[in-house]
Amino acid sequence: DASRLRVGEKLNLKVEDVELIQLIKEVITDLTLVHGKRFTLDSPSVINGKWDKEALKRVFENILSNAVKYGGEFSDINIAVET
C-alpha cells in the first residue's frame, strides 16, 4: 500500500461496518494456531466503526507477527485496545 501511494496511485478501500474487537479476536485465533497461546486481549467488548476490514486485518496481522518475531521466543503478547 505504501508503494502504491508513493507512485501516486490511490488505495481501493472497501469501507464497511466492522466490529473491531471481533476482527482482532479472529487475527489472534489464526496466529494462536501457529504460535501457541501467547496472546491476551484487554479491550471493551465491542467497538463498531466503518473501516476496510481486510486492510485493517493486515495491519493487525503485521503488528502481532512482528511482536512474535521480535519478542522473546516464549514471551506473552498483550494487546490492549481502548476507545
Side-chain angles (χ1 to χ4, degrees), residues 13-52:
L13 298 176
K14 182 182 174 193
V15 178
E16 59 186 313
D17 290 325
V18 175
E19 202 290 289
L20 183 66
I21 303 306
Q22 183 59 40
L23 178 65
I24 295 170
K25 287 179 179 179
E26 290 171 17
V27 172
I28 290 171
T29 297
D30 292 345
L31 291 175
T32 296
L33 294 173
V34 177
H35 302 290
K37 294 186 177 192
R38 301 175 59 182
F39 304 93
T40 59
L41 177 61
D42 177 19
S43 69
S45 58
V46 175
I47 298 177
N48 291 306
K50 293 189 179 291
W51 297 290
D52 182 314

Side-chain angles (χ1 to χ4, degrees), residues 1-15 51-56 58-59:
D1 291 344
S3 297
R4 288 184 192 147
L5 290 172
R6 276 193 284 275
V7 296
E9 291 183 23
K10 293 183 179 183
L11 293 179
N12 292 323
L13 298 176
K14 182 182 174 193
V15 178
W51 297 290
D52 182 314
K53 181 177 181 177
E54 292 306 312
L56 200 52
R58 284 193 313 271
V59 168

